[in-house]
Amino acid sequence: MKHFVIVAILVVISTFLVKAGLDAVGLLPVAASAQAGPIDNLFNIQFTLISFLFSLIVVFMLYSIVVFRRKPGETGDGVHIEGNTKLEITWTILPLLTVLGLATIGAQALADTRRIDPQAMVVKVTAGQWFWKFDYPDYKVSSTTLYLPVNKQVLLQMTSQDVIHSFWVPEFRVKQDVLPGRETELRVTPIKEGGYKVRCAELCGTSHALMENPVVVVSDANFQAWITEQQKIGATSPEERGKKWAAEFGCAACHSVDGSQIVGPTWKGLYDHDVPLANGQTVKADDAYLKESILNTNTKIVKGFAPGIMPQNFRERLSDDQINDIIAYIKSLK
Ligand code: CUA
């Protein structure tokens, strides 16, 4: 009996120490959504149980190894034990109750994270190899950054253009697969202003790891300001938008619009003209050629220029609409 009391005390002490250690490591990122509450609560229960089970096994084992080790001169066998019905019933009933308890709390947490706010703002999410795109149907705005007002539930209606992707912002905790040919839903109520990242949590091809887009949570006033700005951009002509994208995405840093050469070929007088290629061929600078040159930057290298200079990530960074705007802008540079 004395041994059990000592072990019980050691197990309690060890449980506290292990749990404190796990807490100190900071296993979870900041909790930035209302849905994170019930999920972190579950994690906390799990971490406590894990600390206890770890201590129960390791303390019992180490205590036995040290205290009941064979003393010098001892040659006999250990006590022969036949089994213990009471112990076996106990270690069946206790875990059963624990698992049932966890299932109940888990179901409650699931219901909490899916609670519907009828006022929720709808954002249509499109995933594809390898990009995220966000449409705000209420405002007729489309963006590659997910802008969200704080303390307002957003209903993400998601679909994929090709394979299975998965929407996951670790700070929001909740995660949902995005499927082709089907719409899946996720509800998030951001509670902390700040910058986060949506990552794809389903292996979806070569650039899966690069499938990250910014998520920005701002005050309601700043959100409205952003919407107004986006609507203004949307209302301008494609050429004007293209000029803005060219500045924003760095095109203008390498491609001049006045005929001079910075790093890459100038855009002035480019559209609809013949372009001599490094491989000796000539190609007409039409929409298809320009789009290909933006997306697959190394397929057709212009004569006199080296391959590999232009960034190769515009497929992820630019939406189709933005590419069309840039082409419209190039078209206007006669
Ligand atoms: Cu999309 Cu991984």
Side-chain angles (χ1 to χ4, degrees):
M1 197 62 211
K2 185 190 91 186
H3 292 302
F4 280 112
V5 174
I6 296 172
V7 167
I9 292 168
L10 289 176
V11 166
V12 170
I13 294 171
S14 167
T15 302
F16 273 103
L17 289 178
V18 174
K19 177 65 170 52
L22 286 175
D23 286 345
V25 175
L27 293 165
L28 298 171
V30 57
S33 80
Q35 288 73 17
I39 291 174
D40 285 7
N41 183 39
L42 272 179
F43 267 118
N44 197 34
I45 294 171
Q46 293 280 3
F47 290 153
T48 310
L49 281 178
I50 288 168
S51 306
F52 170 69
L53 286 176
F54 175 84
S55 304
L56 188 68
I57 294 163
V58 170
V59 169
F60 252 103
M61 195 173 68
L62 291 180
Y63 189 87
S64 306
I65 290 173
V66 174
V67 176
F68 301 112
R69 71 185 183 282
R70 191 189 284 265
K71 310 261 171 1
E74 227 178 29
T75 52
D77 281 346
V79 187
H80 189 70
I81 299 168
E82 263 301 317
N84 188 326
T85 313
K86 262 191 227 159
L87 185 63
E88 283 171 25
I89 290 174
T90 312
W91 77 35
T92 305
I93 300 272
L94 277 186
L96 179 70
L97 291 179
T98 310
V99 169
L100 286 177
L102 281 177
T104 312
I105 306 168
Q108 185 61 47
L110 190 64
D112 283 349
T113 56
R114 295 197 173 172
R115 186 151 296 141
I116 293 169
D117 179 350
Q119 310 283 303
M121 175 178 82
V122 173
V123 175
K124 301 257 182 202
V125 178
T126 312
Q129 285 170 317
W130 289 271
F131 65 88
W132 294 101
K133 188 167 161 267
F134 309 102
D135 290 294
Y136 299 72
D138 296 346
Y139 306 101
K140 309 234 175 315
V141 159
S142 156
S143 168
T144 52
T145 296
L146 180 58
Y147 253 82
L148 297 174
V150 74
N151 294 330
K152 183 170 171 67
Q153 190 180 82
V154 55
L155 167 59
L156 302 170
Q157 296 177 334
M158 313 193 282
T159 190
S160 164
Q161 284 190 352
D162 34 54
V163 298
I164 301 174
H165 303 272
S166 182
F167 181 97
W168 186 40
V169 180
E171 290 82 0
F172 293 166
R173 299 293 190 277
V174 284
K175 187 198 279 180
Q176 173 63 51
D177 274 6
V178 184
L179 311 170
R182 200 167 119 186
E183 194 179 84
T184 50
E185 288 189 346
L186 189 64
R187 289 178 186 271
V188 179
T189 313
I191 52 167
K192 264 200 175 68
E193 289 181 34
Y196 313 102
K197 259 182 192 171
V198 51
R199 355 185 141 223
C200 179
E202 182 73 50
L203 188 59
C204 58
T206 347
S207 296
H208 155 72
L210 304 177
M211 216 172 134
E212 291 185 336
N213 279 43
V215 176
V216 181
V217 177
V218 293
S219 67
D220 195 49
N222 283 346
F223 178 75
Q224 294 305 333
W226 177 78
I227 286 287
T228 311
E229 192 197 323
Q230 296 305 305
Q231 286 170 333
K232 240 187 253 162
I233 296 169
T236 54
S237 67
E239 298 91 80
E240 277 174 73
R241 289 198 297 270
K243 186 174 183 179
K244 184 181 150 62
W245 306 138
E248 216 164 274
F249 290 94
C251 317
C254 296
H255 300 280
S256 80
V257 296
D258 60 2
S260 67
Q261 186 186 319
I262 312 173
V263 175
T266 183
W267 283 357
K268 186 182 162 69
L270 170 62
Y271 191 78
D272 222 16
H273 283 75
D274 287 339
V275 178
L277 297 181
N279 63 9
Q281 291 173 334
T282 303
V283 65
K284 187 172 275 289
D286 54 10
D287 288 47
Y289 162 79
L290 291 174
K291 183 164 186 182
E292 183 186 25
S293 296
I294 292 169
L295 295 179
N296 304 320
T297 55
N298 285 333
T299 37
K300 294 199 174 99
I301 298 297
V302 179
K303 193 170 183 211
F305 293 91
I309 309 274
M310 180 154 154
Q312 288 164 56
N313 58 355
F314 288 113
R315 187 179 288 281
E316 290 90 56
R317 292 172 60 204
L318 292 171
S319 69
D320 272 357
D321 293 343
Q322 286 171 323
I323 291 171
N324 290 336
D325 291 344
I326 291 171
I327 292 173
Y329 174 51
I330 295 175
K331 220 183 263 191
S332 72
L333 301 165
K334 300 246 159 56

